[in-house]
Every structure is written in structure tokens, then in C-alpha cells.
Amino acid sequence: MTDLVPGKLARVSGSVRIVGAGLLGASIGLALMKNGVDVILADTSPAQLRLAVDYGAGRAGAEGDAPDLVIVCTPPDVVADTVAAELSHYPNAVVTDVASVKLEPLRELRRRGVNLVNYIGSHPMAGRERGGAISARADIFLGRPWVICRDGETPTEALALIEDLALDLGAVPIEMTPEEHDRSVALVSHVPQVVASLLAARFAEAPETSLALAGQGVRDTTRIAASAPELWVQILAANAAPVVEQLDLLAGDLARVADALRDPDAPGARRTAADAIRDGNVGVARLPGKHGQRRMFETFVVMVDDASGQLGRLFGDLGELEVNVEDFRLEHSPGAQLGLAEISVDPATLQRAVDGLSARGWRIAGAHA
Amino acid sequence: MTDLVPGKLARVSGSVRIVGAGLLGASIGLALMKNGVDVILADTSPAQLRLAVDYGAGRAGAEGDAPDLVIVCTPPDVVADTVAAELSHYPNAVVTDVASVKLEPLRELRRRGVNLVNYIGSHPMAGRERGGAISARADIFLGRPWVICRDGETPTEALALIEDLALDLGAVPIEMTPEEHDRSVALVSHVPQVVASLLAARFAEAPETSLALAGQGVRDTTRIAASAPELWVQILAANAAPVVEQLDLLAGDLARVADALRDPDAPGARRTAADAIRDGNVGVARLPGKHGQRRMFETFVVMVDDASGQLGRLFGDLGELEVNVEDFRLEHSPGAQLGLAEISVDPATLQRAVDGLSARGWRIAGAHA
């Protein structure tokens, strides 16, 4: 597991209680444990709790636990209930949650008249396609934004505690209002999910011969369509207003392009289509890169036989050449008895890698930035 | 460059003429040259032609060239013109094209009364985000489908020539009617392009703070939005009818989900949203895997230090354990001095791999289907 730099939280906090030991709860637990924090786990499912404890994400709760910080990691539809219960049970603790929607739980808590001085909603922008404690990983927060929704009442020390949590886990704290947060995730997460799902849904009944022509483009476009329906229905229902607003805009854009293509030789039709693609160019270029990283690597492709021994020899050779592999991807060609190993390296070592491997008899299929 | 197995085409064909020395033309040229074929290149841009020739994709044409095969690799809007000109100029040659739309050029050629006995449309499902001869690679066709649209008139030898071309380049020939082809690419390529572009276009004017929350999901969903507008307007206009049909269906699906979310607590609303996500699960699972693979593998994750020597040892150990690596992916944790090696193997060898590696001191972070 990742050995994090000893964090601030271990110094300021006696113990941290995590309610809900699924993917996010167990991942936070794993990371905090590495960090020297006493982590108390709770889950309505004894099996899930046991798994997370066995996994090293924390210990089961005991009489007299007095956490300084409670992190609610339950599904969105029970977040408000859980936050209210924890605030009442641990009146001296700061309580946060990690739900992907921030306004609806806050409204619900206000409707109930809960004293929210000790509550700060937050949302780490991290996750995996696979859920549950079994998929937990201490490093999923590294370099990811962690949204913190303070309000006017929030005491400075409480805010600092949540910021320490985010920083200790390697995340980047970002302050936003709940409204800003919900509009933002509708745009960059919830609407893309709906669109990818609906696009992929069209393949459910399509002829197999048509799908045989699918390439990497459509696979990428629809990858997140593999997400779990249960969680997503809760998220979409809880953030319905901003999602609907964006879906309506998108439906209008779709209709405009479809109308233009109904008569592609009409004046302005091709311009409408070109503008859509061009605006897409502009938009996609504005998205931040992987992990917020912008470092550039050089990539080259080596042809390898479809055998693990070959890869061992390849990495052995790269080690002898003192070339560090920054990224690696193996592509298979069914029918062909070879794979394409796409290797990314520091630009300074590219020439050495390509020349050295060629000299050792490797076939280099191409090098590109 | 790729050393392909010496191909049939070199034996049956004196020379192959490629018209249009962009990404596809130059890539085909590179592959055929490696294959021992005499490749003649033509392009309306002298600079592009010179680049492709310098790149090793073929030679410039000369008086008296008599190709057996002409491959038209021009932009879609001039394909019919070029095919007609080539058929008339080289009446003994088989002429094919590689345009991404097959019905419209055929209709245009028929309208002009061109004798089409020697013409067979085709479409290699290969490409890159970057265009031009400079991005050419002999290996982009490996394992990819190559659609061949014969008609009743097509002589067997002509069909065999195009199949040899596809096979020599490592592609998988698939026969389809032009109508089937166009409907299929509308579904798996053209509509996903429009959707990705429109989704990304919404980011063109969005606040930077919102975009800062973007993760890998939306980056994948919108990756192809980086495609070139000029080419795509031609493709969409040429394949307008099947694209419009799919866009209309999708707009209807979007409206249905938006309506459900307008009142998420109404009876049936959550079911509508859940069905959309669930149908997406079904659809995305039907897409063929990378390069058309459908075999299921088991995946496990091994923690490795951030050093190439470690990967050499890992693959060496897997080789000794007689475990064949079907897929491999290296994930880096910025800040942490380790990587996560995600390894896919045949289910029958999973236990042996995990136990064997653990016994040799490797830290296994998780195994899952």
C-alpha cells in the first residue's frame, strides 16, 4: 500500500470514525491507517465491515469511542439520516460526508432543523468502476480534487480539519458552494454518465455484425456505461434539477445537428455540423489532463510474441538500458501471434530505449510523441 | 517499422497505385512497401506527396505505370470523382476506395453511368486522431475489420485482390452491403462522434472551476471530440440518413430520461432512469473487446516499485510460473514511489499466478473478474 507522508490529521485527531465501509469509506480508512490515524469503521452490513477491517481499513467501533471527525460514506439516499444521527451522537465531532450531491442532503438537514455548525459537506472526486471494500485503494485520492462546501457558520478549525483530511490523502481541496458543486458535477459527471448509458443502450439490440465494426473511439465514449444502476439512480434523482437543465440543452443541440443533416445541402447545414465538431474541439481541450498531470512522455511500440516470457525479457532489457517505464500498454491482435507493447518513457531516454532495444533484436513498430 | 509476413499481393500484383497520401494512404503504402509491393503514390498536394515518399510509403508515379490495383484514399467528397477518373485511366486495374461511407459514392458513380465491374468499395476500420502522412503507421490495420462491399457484378479475382490487400495488412476482411456498412458505422462511429462533440462543446464556455472536477470518465467519453471538423462534416453529410435516424432515437431517449428526472419521485420515474443505465450496461458489454476479442480474463493487481527492473522480475516470475499475460496495464500513483500492475490472465491460471507471485514476495493488491 501507499506509504503516505505522515499527515496532519494524526497529530490533531484522536480518532476518525468512518460510517459506510464501501469503496470510498474503506479507501479513506486504508489511507488514514497508513497515516497513523486510529480509524473506527461502521457499516450496516456486518460482512462488509468485517471485510474492510480484515483489509486493514480500520477497526470495529467500541464503547466509549470519541472521534474528532466523522466521515459519512453511505449511499446518497441515506446521507442526511446518517449525518443527523452522527451529529447528535458525537456532538463534539466535526461531521463530513462524501456524497456526490451536496445541496439535497443539506436542504434535508435544514428541513429537519438539525444544528449544522459542526457539519461540512465534502466530495472527493475519486472512484472506481468496481465498488465495495474489496476494490478499496489508499491511492485513489492522489491528485484528485476534493470539494469542500463550507457555509458562513463553519468554524475555521472544522474547515481546517477537512482540509487536512483531503491533503493527507493526497487530494487537492477546492472550496465551492453546494450549488456550484452540484451544477459542476452535473456538467462533468452526471450528464456524461446519462449520455454514455443512452448511447450504449442503443447497442443492446443492435446486430452483432454492426458491433463488430466498433473501435477504440466508441469503446472510450461508452466505457462508463458499465456503472452500477442503483447508485446512479440515487445520484441523478438527488441532483435532478441541474442534470435536467443540461440534458435539455444537449437535446436541443442534438436536434439542431439532426435537422441540419436532414438536408445537408441546405444553406448553413454543413456549417451547423462543422460548428458542433469545432466547439467540441474547444471544449475537450479545456478538460484538465490525467491526475491534473500535464507532463509529456514519448511513446514507442515494440512487437512482442504472445508469451509472458517475452515481456520479461523486454522489461529486463529496459532495466539494463536504465530506461524507466512511465506507462505501459499491451495491445493484442487476435489472429496474429503477436502483441504491441506501447511503452511511454521520459523524452530524454527515448533514443536510448529505441536504439538499445533495436540492437537487442526487438522490432520497434513506431515511435511518436 | 513492422516487418509483415511477405504477402500475397506482392506475388499477384505488379504495382499498386495509391491516390491520396494522407494518414490512410501513406499507412497502406508503408505496409505494402514492407511487403515487397511496388507502390505508386499520387496526391494533389506536392508537399504531402513528397513527405509520403520521403517517409518510405511509395514512389511518385511515372509515364507508363500500369497498376493492377488502385486504392483511392481521398477525402469522402471527392471519392466518386477520383474513382471514376481512375477506372477510366486504368481500365485493367481493380479500383477500391477506403472512404468511411459506402452508399453515397456508389450512388454517385451509378448516376454518372460509370462501368463499375472493376470497382469494389472497401473501408478499413482504422485511423488515428492525428492525420496526414506524418502520422502514418504500417501497423494501424492489425487486427482491425476491413469492410468489403462487393456487388453481384464483382469478379471473383477482383474480390480476392481486395481480400489479399486486407489480409496482407493484418486486417480482418468482412463482407457487407453498402447499406449494412453505412447503418453500422452510423451506430458505432458517426453518432458517437456527434454525441462526444456536443457533450464536449458544452465545456467550451463552462467555468474553469467546474471543469477542474472532471475525471477520467468524462475524459474518455469526450476523447474523440478532438477529431478534425473538415473530415467529419463530409462523413456526416455523406451518411446523413442513417445518422439522423439514430440521432432522433437518441434525442427521444434523452427527453424520456430528462422528463423522468423533472419529477424523480413520480411513479415510474426512477425506473426509467434505472432502465437507461441498465440498458447501457447490456449494450456496452456487447461491444467487442480490444481488437474484437471477447474472451474473458481474470485480472489481479500487483504492487511494483517505480522501476523497470521490477517489471522485468515480475514478468520473469510469471514466465517461470507458466502464466501467460493476456493484458497488462501499469498505473502510476504520482507522489507515491510505486505503481500498480494490472495483469489479466486466463481464469484457469489465476490461482497459480496469485499464489506463485505471493510466495515470491509480490504484494497482490486485489484480484477480480
Side-chain angles (χ1 to χ4, degrees):
Chain A
M1 263 317 134
T2 313
D3 294 310
L4 291 160
V5 182
K8 283 183 170 180
L9 216 53
R11 275 172 280 151
V12 299
S13 165
S15 61
V16 172
R17 175 173 153 90
I18 296 175
V19 186
L23 170 68
L24 282 180
S27 293
I28 294 173
L30 280 173
L32 290 179
M33 289 285 281
K34 302 284 157 198
N35 234 345
V37 173
D38 174 31
V39 178
I40 306 155
L41 294 173
D43 199 291
T44 50
S45 152
Q48 178 96 320
L49 177 60
R50 203 158 42 236
L51 183 65
V53 170
D54 288 350
Y55 212 55
R59 63 172 173 88
E63 245 352 282
D65 283 334
D68 301 297
L69 173 62
V70 177
I71 308 170
V72 173
C73 304
T74 55
D77 59 350
V78 293
V79 161
D81 285 341
T82 317
V83 167
E86 297 292 319
L87 283 169
S88 135
H89 208 269
Y90 301 102
N92 297 319
V94 172
V95 177
T96 189
D97 72 303
V98 299
S100 18
V101 174
K102 298 270 62 90
L103 196 54
E104 183 52 36
L106 185 66
R107 281 191 181 137
E108 179 59 29
L109 289 164
R110 284 190 179 140
R111 265 195 295 269
R112 299 181 189 186
V114 174
N115 176 350
L116 294 174
V117 170
N118 285 340
Y119 168 71
I120 305 180
S122 77
H123 180 206
M125 304 298 300
R128 310 191 68 195
E129 270 160 274
R130 299 175 278 259
I134 193 71
S135 303
R137 269 169 50 174
D139 65 0
I140 62 172
F141 309 101
L142 287 174
R144 302 292 306 135
W146 191 306
V147 178
I148 301 174
C149 298
R150 77 186 301 187
D151 60 30
E153 292 182 85
T154 309
T156 315
E157 318 83 69
L159 180 68
L161 201 62
I162 308 299
E163 281 177 350
D164 286 348
L165 169 68
L167 290 170
D168 281 1
L169 269 51
V172 182
I174 297 182
E175 273 199 49
M176 280 189 179
T177 66
E179 290 81 0
E180 275 178 291
H181 169 273
D182 286 5
R183 273 200 309 272
S184 300
V185 291
L187 185 71
V188 301
S189 169
H190 304 174
V191 166
Q193 177 65 52
V194 172
V195 167
S197 292
L198 291 177
L199 194 58
R202 290 268 138 223
F203 306 147
E205 310 270 316
E208 192 142 358
T209 46
S210 294
L211 299 182
L213 303 191
Q216 194 54 45
V218 65
R219 275 201 296 273
D220 283 350
T221 310
T222 56
R223 182 181 61 81
I224 55 173
S227 302
E230 300 71 23
L231 178 65
W232 271 100
V233 170
Q234 290 186 28
I235 293 175
L236 295 174
N239 199 27
V243 169
V244 166
E245 191 182 321
Q246 285 293 326
L247 287 180
D248 285 346
L249 289 170
L250 195 62
D253 294 343
L254 267 183
R256 201 160 23 254
V257 172
D259 287 343
L261 291 178
R262 260 177 258 280
D263 186 4
D265 296 320
R270 281 169 190 246
R271 171 179 294 270
T272 301
D275 283 350
I277 308 281
R278 205 170 287 119
D279 291 349
N281 290 173
V282 175
V284 75
R286 291 192 68 212
L287 289 181
K290 208 177 183 179
H291 290 297
Q293 275 186 319
R294 290 198 169 264
R295 216 171 128 201
M296 291 296 288
F297 298 119
E298 300 274 345
T299 298
F300 62 96
V301 175
V302 181
M303 311 191 88
V304 292
D305 288 349
D306 193 356
S308 50
Q310 278 259 13
L311 287 174
R313 193 163 70 78
L314 175 61
F315 280 98
D317 285 352
L318 284 165
E320 284 177 26
L321 293 166
E322 294 183 0
V323 171
N324 201 24
V325 176
E326 299 293 344
D327 204 356
F328 179 91
R329 203 159 179 168
L330 185 65
E331 278 193 45
H332 265 254
S333 313
Q337 277 307 306
L338 58 83
L340 300 171
E342 203 166 304
I343 297 175
S344 300
V345 298
D346 191 291
T349 63
L350 174 71
Q351 205 57 50
R352 187 164 80 234
V354 170
D355 293 348
L357 289 178
S358 301
R360 286 155 192 249
W362 291 100
R363 287 175 299 166
I364 312 293
H368 50 266
Chain B
M1 264 315 134
T2 314
D3 294 308
L4 291 160
V5 183
K8 282 184 171 181
L9 216 54
R11 276 172 278 150
V12 299
S13 165
S15 62
V16 172
R17 175 174 153 90
I18 297 175
V19 186
L23 170 66
L24 282 181
S27 293
I28 295 173
L30 280 174
L32 290 179
M33 289 285 280
K34 302 284 159 198
N35 234 344
V37 173
D38 175 30
V39 177
I40 305 154
L41 294 172
D43 199 292
T44 51
S45 152
Q48 177 96 321
L49 177 61
R50 204 158 42 236
L51 183 64
V53 170
D54 288 351
Y55 212 54
R59 62 173 173 89
E63 248 346 286
D65 283 336
D68 301 298
L69 172 62
V70 177
I71 308 170
V72 172
C73 303
T74 55
D77 59 349
V78 292
V79 160
D81 285 342
T82 317
V83 167
E86 297 292 320
L87 283 169
S88 133
H89 208 270
Y90 300 103
N92 298 319
V94 171
V95 177
T96 189
D97 72 302
V98 299
S100 17
V101 174
K102 299 271 59 93
L103 195 55
E104 183 52 36
L106 184 66
R107 279 189 182 139
E108 178 60 28
L109 289 164
R110 283 190 180 139
R111 266 195 294 271
R112 299 181 190 188
V114 174
N115 177 349
L116 294 175
V117 170
N118 286 340
Y119 168 70
I120 304 179
S122 78
H123 181 205
M125 304 299 299
R128 309 189 67 195
E129 269 160 274
R130 297 176 280 261
I134 194 73
S135 303
R137 265 168 59 171
D139 64 2
I140 61 172
F141 309 101
L142 285 175
R144 301 294 305 138
W146 190 307
V147 178
I148 301 174
C149 298
R150 76 187 301 189
D151 60 30
E153 292 181 87
T154 310
T156 315
E157 317 84 69
L159 180 69
L161 200 63
I162 308 300
E163 281 178 351
D164 287 347
L165 168 69
L167 290 169
D168 281 1
L169 269 52
V172 182
I174 297 183
E175 275 198 48
M176 278 189 179
T177 66
E179 290 82 359
E180 274 179 291
H181 169 273
D182 285 6
R183 273 200 309 273
S184 299
V185 292
L187 185 72
V188 300
S189 169
H190 304 174
V191 166
Q193 177 64 53
V194 171
V195 167
S197 292
L198 291 177
L199 195 58
R202 290 266 138 225
F203 307 146
E205 310 270 316
E208 192 141 359
T209 46
S210 295
L211 299 183
L213 303 191
Q216 193 55 44
V218 65
R219 274 201 297 275
D220 283 349
T221 310
T222 56
R223 182 181 60 82
I224 55 172
S227 302
E230 300 72 24
L231 179 64
W232 271 100
V233 170
Q234 291 187 27
I235 293 175
L236 295 174
N239 200 27
V243 170
V244 166
E245 191 183 321
Q246 286 293 326
L247 287 180
D248 285 346
L249 289 169
L250 195 62
D253 294 343
L254 267 183
R256 198 157 28 251
V257 172
D259 286 344
L261 292 178
R262 260 176 258 281
D263 187 3
D265 296 319
R270 280 168 190 247
R271 172 179 292 270
T272 301
D275 283 350
I277 308 280
R278 205 170 288 119
D279 291 349
N281 290 173
V282 174
V284 75
R286 290 193 69 212
L287 286 182
K290 231 171 186 190
H291 293 298
Q293 279 186 319
R294 282 192 170 273
R295 235 171 109 195
M296 288 300 286
F297 300 119
E298 299 276 344
T299 299
F300 61 95
V301 176
V302 181
M303 311 193 106
V304 291
D305 287 347
D306 194 356
S308 48
Q310 279 258 15
L311 288 175
R313 193 164 71 76
L314 176 61
F315 280 98
D317 285 353
L318 284 165
E320 284 177 28
L321 292 166
E322 296 184 358
V323 171
N324 200 26
V325 176
E326 300 295 345
D327 204 354
F328 178 90
R329 201 161 180 166
L330 185 65
E331 277 191 46
H332 264 254
S333 314
Q337 280 305 308
L338 58 81
L340 300 169
E342 203 167 302
I343 297 175
S344 301
V345 299
D346 190 292
T349 63
L350 175 70
Q351 206 55 50
R352 187 164 80 231
V354 170
D355 293 349
L357 289 179
S358 302
R360 286 156 192 249
W362 292 98
R363 287 176 297 167
I364 312 292
H368 47 264

